Amino acid sequence: MLIDDDFDDQEMFGHALKHLDVSVDYVTANDGEHAIEKLKADPKLNPYFIFVDVDTPKMKGVECVVEIKKISRVKNVPVYLYSTYADPKILKAGRENGAVDIVVKAHNMKELEQTLAKILKQ
């Protein structure tokens, strides 16, 4: 699951997953509120990983992590903050609230595929 208001980032992420040839359903949400609504409304939605853009409208990334961790069905799903840069303050706040790490948005498809491949192997 990717929570990101940038449709180009959503598209690139989806293409990277396809190129990795992994059998996962790719789900997106445009912001944190939309993601929480989706997770609460669909009990069959059980992501293996959740990537949360740090700066989305309506609900910021760390706040979204907090809300995700309140949903018992997905509270143990690894959540990664997703940002254009690794801000140490945001990373610290994210980890304190249950995020695994911060993933810096890739500059190209190959870089994104390599990053996702490492995470998916876990």
Side-chain angles (χ1 to χ4, degrees), residues 31-42:
D31 58 59
E33 286 183 6
H34 183 219
I36 299 304
E37 288 171 11
K38 273 188 166 185
L39 289 166
K40 287 181 176 179
D42 186 357

Side-chain angles (χ1 to χ4, degrees), residues 42-105:
D42 186 357
K44 293 179 183 175
L45 178 56
N46 291 303
Y48 290 107
F49 298 92
I50 301 174
F51 296 84
V52 182
D53 184 16
V54 168
D55 193 27
T56 59
K58 298 183 184 178
M59 183 184 295
K60 299 301 177 198
V62 174
E63 182 183 358
C64 186
V65 172
V66 170
E67 294 304 312
I68 289 168
K69 295 300 179 178
K70 290 179 183 177
I71 303 170
S72 61
R73 187 180 81 258
V74 295
K75 71 180 181 183
N76 294 318
V77 172
V79 178
Y80 292 85
L81 293 169
Y82 195 55
S83 181
T84 53
Y85 66 101
D87 183 326
K89 291 179 187 174
I90 292 174
L91 176 57
K92 182 177 187 247
R95 284 186 173 156
E96 288 172 353
N97 288 287
V100 174
D101 205 350
I102 193 165
V103 174
V104 177
K105 292 183 180 184

